[in-house]
Amino acid sequence: AQKITQTQPGMFVQEKEAVTLDCTYDTSDQSYGLFWYKQPSSGEMIFLIYQGSYDEQNATEGRYSLNFQKARKSANLVISASQLGDSAMYFCAMRRTGNQFYFGTGTSLTVIP
Amino acid sequence: NAGVTQTPKFRILKIGQSMTLQCTQDMNHNYMYWYRQDPGMGLKLIYYSVGAGITDKGEVPNGYNVSRSTTEDFPLRLELAAPSQTSVYFCASSQLTPAGSMGQYFGPGTRLTVT
């Protein structure tokens, strides 16, 4: 079964500090993609960052970076210099061969001033 | 450029009623998706389409139907609404690049309650 696991239901971080949100995945596919999305309290889903299974370097997008450890099947999101506007739900997702997507249950991040 | 639009935003259905959730994208994306998000959970894929005339089941397709007659539109049909279909429904679109790097653009969601 294809599966995404996010083990941290809730996380707190001090403003301006860095935080790591964990994600592990399970797939037998050789080619797959890993994504992180942000869902603020307003409800919309916002794409943050992508990592392909064949990419050798970790993806970065501004303050977001993806710590990809293929052998451990983990794809953790690192947010540097946290801001109050980063408070939201964060979802890890996997695109497997055939373009099906699977989402984790999410991590609620609260940034403390 | 409106992106992905969904109608309606909210709907209350009685058990056994039918309805169609509308989804339109103006980005000329080939791929379109329907998800449901239950309270406190992640998104589950209901159906997806890789182009006009082509649809396929996702993880939770039972009780739903879709069609894709144009690139822009991807309606989701509930035939006999059940309380288990109470959820927030998201439509999304994407265009797969050779690098596979394009994330999905999501609509604002439809909050459906079946009573």
Side-chain angles (χ1 to χ4, degrees):
Chain A
Q2 319 298 325
K3 189 176 173 183
I4 294 282
T5 302
Q6 294 180 253
T7 58
Q8 306 155 312
M11 291 281 287
F12 292 87
V13 63
Q14 204 75 34
E15 193 178 5
K16 299 180 186 172
E17 298 291 314
V19 63
T20 298
L21 306 184
D22 294 341
C23 173
T24 58
Y25 61 92
D26 182 22
T27 182
S28 54
D29 293 346
Q30 294 300 309
S31 176
Y32 52 89
L34 297 158
F35 300 76
W36 277 91
Y37 291 86
K38 173 183 178 182
Q39 187 176 42
S41 58
S42 52
E44 72 268 33
M45 295 287 289
I46 302 166
F47 165 64
L48 295 177
I49 195 167
Y50 164 84
Q51 179 85 41
S53 58
Y54 293 119
D55 295 340
E56 294 188 352
Q57 290 198 325
N58 287 340
T60 60
E61 288 287 347
R63 294 187 298 112
Y64 304 108
S65 60
L66 199 153
N67 185 359
F68 181 47
Q69 297 187 49
K70 193 170 182 177
R72 298 180 62 184
K73 292 190 175 180
S74 76
N76 299 339
L77 177 71
V78 180
I79 305 174
S80 63
S82 297
Q83 302 172 355
L84 295 178
D86 294 334
S87 293
M89 285 290 292
Y90 289 82
F91 291 96
C92 180
M94 175 174 64
R95 186 198 68 237
R96 59 163 294 197
T97 305
N99 214 40
Q100 290 224 22
F101 278 80
Y102 296 86
F103 280 74
T105 52
T107 294
S108 175
L109 177 67
T110 302
V111 180
I112 304 165
Chain B
N1 191 340
V4 180
T5 57
Q6 291 182 238
T7 56
K9 286 189 169 50
F10 303 93
R11 183 72 186 266
I12 298 174
L13 278 183
K14 291 190 187 324
I15 295 171
Q17 285 185 322
S18 301
M19 78 163 294
T20 299
L21 281 66
Q22 302 291 345
C23 175
T24 300
Q25 55 96 3
D26 62 0
M27 297 171 283
N28 204 32
H29 287 169
N30 283 341
Y31 297 85
M32 295 188 75
Y33 313 82
W34 274 107
Y35 294 91
R36 58 177 289 171
Q37 184 179 28
D38 297 331
M41 301 295 289
L43 278 67
K44 289 193 183 296
L45 183 64
I46 304 171
Y47 270 95
Y48 66 102
S49 169
V50 301
I54 306 169
T55 63
D56 211 343
K57 295 178 181 178
E59 195 179 355
V60 290
N62 292 343
Y64 307 94
N65 277 300
V66 293
S67 59
R68 183 96 183 271
S69 55
T70 66
T71 299
E72 295 78 21
D73 299 307
F74 190 42
L76 177 72
R77 178 92 179 148
L78 283 72
E79 288 295 346
L80 291 169
S84 61
Q85 293 178 304
T86 294
S87 191
V88 178
Y89 291 83
F90 287 98
C91 179
S93 72
S94 72
Q95 189 76 334
L96 197 64
T97 67
S101 61
M102 190 170 194
Q104 296 167 309
Y105 288 82
F106 281 82
T110 294
R111 188 174 296 275
L112 176 67
T113 302
V114 182
T115 61

